[in-house]
């Protein structure tokens, strides 16, 4: 099959985008898929999760900046043995992307051009960890992607901005990327509180067609997993099983 590109996006921070990206990728790798993760956030949390240490090798900012300037784009792909995924790291310099992309022709398609290179053709899945913003980097992710997973924390104000994101997705779909689709809205950080229950009711009422069946629980395991640079899917934990279920649902919704 040709590669599928998934953006994990929500303009609201702290909803589990990075944890979802790493663990979805690791879960897909466990069932034999070849996966590459892209860190498109200047905070570089995904890179840290995978144990990245900057040794001067190219990262996603170097690749995008070179593409804008018309040079030969360097190979920024690294391999993480523990989680059996490839990845392209990020760093704080990516925060300057709005400046140099504003001067680029077809600025929303720079990442798409990078991911169309032969070096990315071998992957079954490319998963992009997006920054919490509706700016030009998110436009690049949505222009490059075939589908979007939207993690939503089941807490107060969870739905704030969600309509804005889905509107942007529809705008991108209607203009530069007609094949873009919402794979699903993923409820995260569920607990037994009334707030979780009320949020789930609101999500079901407003987004029933796009709401995923998988539910991700609130757990300190996620923080420990990031500290150990090891995905939850590698251990026999409740949260790990939930992310394996997410991978199965993505394959069902999105083709395997």
């Amino acid at each position: 099959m040709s590669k599928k590109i998934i953006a994990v996006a929500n303009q609201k921070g702290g909803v589990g985008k990075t944890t979802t990206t790493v663990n979805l990728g690791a879960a897909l790798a466990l069932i034999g898929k070849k996966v590459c993760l892209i860190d498109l956030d200047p905070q570089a949390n995904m890179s840290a999760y995978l144990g990245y240490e900057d040794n001067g090798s190219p990262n996603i900012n170097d690749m995008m900046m070179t593409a804008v300037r018309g040079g030969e784009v360097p190979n920024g792909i690294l391999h993480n043995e523990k989680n059996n995924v490839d990845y392209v790291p990020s760093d704080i310099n990516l925060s300057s992307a709005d400046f140099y992309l504003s001067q680029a022709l077809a600025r929303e398609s720079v990442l798409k051009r990078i991911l169309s290179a032969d070096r990315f053709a071998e992957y079954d899945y490319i998963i992009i960890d997006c920054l919490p913003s509706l700016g030009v980097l998110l436009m690049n992710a949505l222009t490059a992607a075939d589908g979007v997973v939207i993690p939503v924390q089941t807490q107060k104000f969870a739905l704030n901005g969600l309509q804005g994101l889905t509107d942007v997705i529809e705008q991108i779909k209607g203009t530069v990327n007609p094949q873009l689709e919402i794979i699903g809205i993923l409820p995260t950080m569920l607990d037994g509180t009334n707030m979780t229950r009320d949020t789930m009711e609101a999500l079901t009422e407003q987004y029933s067609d796009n709401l995923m069946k998988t539910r991700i629980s609130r757990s300190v395991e996620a923080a420990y997993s990031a500290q150990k640079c090891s995905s939850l899917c590698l251990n026999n934990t409740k949260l790990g099983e939930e992310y394996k279920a997410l991978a199965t649902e993505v394959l069902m919704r999105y083709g395997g």
Side-chain angles (χ1 to χ4, degrees):
M1 76 172 192
S2 60
K3 68 178 183 289
K4 293 182 180 292
I5 302 176
I6 298 173
V8 179
N10 190 326
Q11 71 204 69
K12 184 175 172 58
V15 299
K17 289 188 295 295
T18 296
T19 304
T20 298
T21 300
V22 172
N23 285 279
L24 173 58
L28 288 169
L30 281 173
I31 54 177
K33 303 300 181 182
K34 190 165 178 59
V35 177
C36 184
L37 310 179
I38 310 292
D39 193 343
L40 205 65
D41 187 342
Q43 297 178 79
N45 291 328
M46 191 203 89
S47 303
Y49 200 142
L50 294 172
Y52 171 65
E53 295 182 2
D54 187 1
N55 61 2
S57 62
N59 58 38
I60 191 63
N61 184 63
D62 299 317
M63 295 174 77
M64 295 186 74
M65 189 177 292
T66 306
V68 166
R69 293 172 176 171
E72 182 176 348
V73 176
N75 184 359
I77 301 172
L78 303 174
H79 181 67
N80 180 270
E81 190 69 34
K82 185 182 290 186
N83 299 286
N84 193 28
V85 294
D86 288 354
Y87 70 103
V88 179
S90 179
D91 67 15
I92 191 61
N93 293 311
L94 187 61
S95 59
S96 68
D98 281 2
F99 173 72
Y100 64 75
L101 288 172
S102 69
Q103 305 171 55
L105 295 174
R107 61 179 182 167
E108 75 284 343
S109 63
V110 174
L111 182 61
K112 181 177 182 178
R113 297 200 300 271
I114 291 170
L115 297 183
S116 67
D118 289 345
R119 63 175 64 109
F120 289 102
E122 64 183 274
Y123 296 104
D124 299 309
Y125 285 89
I126 296 174
I127 308 176
I128 307 168
D129 185 19
C130 298
L131 73 171
S133 164
L134 293 181
V136 67
L137 282 173
L138 180 65
M139 301 302 110
N140 269 264
L142 296 178
T143 300
D146 307 299
V148 188
V149 171
I150 307 173
V152 175
Q153 183 184 12
T154 55
Q155 298 297 318
K156 191 174 184 179
F157 307 125
L159 274 65
N160 287 10
L162 189 54
Q163 186 63 52
L165 176 59
T166 56
D167 286 347
V168 168
I169 291 169
E170 286 304 311
Q171 290 172 27
I172 295 291
K173 181 182 177 71
T175 52
V176 296
N177 189 3
Q179 76 264 26
L180 183 65
E181 61 179 279
I182 296 176
I183 300 171
I185 293 171
L186 173 68
T188 64
M189 305 184 192
L190 277 77
D191 54 29
T193 63
N194 291 337
M195 184 63 67
T196 283
R197 184 199 63 204
D198 293 345
T199 303
M200 285 303 304
E201 288 178 357
L203 284 169
T204 302
E205 181 179 346
Q206 296 184 41
Y207 298 101
S208 58
D209 291 343
N210 289 320
L211 196 61
M212 302 189 86
K213 292 183 172 61
T214 304
R215 306 287 186 262
I216 306 298
S217 302
R218 176 184 294 278
S219 174
V220 295
E221 292 171 6
Y224 293 149
S225 169
Q227 287 178 359
K228 296 175 182 176
C229 303
S230 177
S231 76
L232 293 150
C233 303
L234 300 181
N235 304 304
N236 185 24
T237 64
K238 178 183 178 182
L239 218 53
E241 293 305 310
E242 289 171 352
Y243 280 110
K244 290 176 185 177
L246 172 62
T248 300
E249 184 170 2
V250 166
L251 292 174
M252 290 177 58
R253 284 175 169 256
Y254 200 45

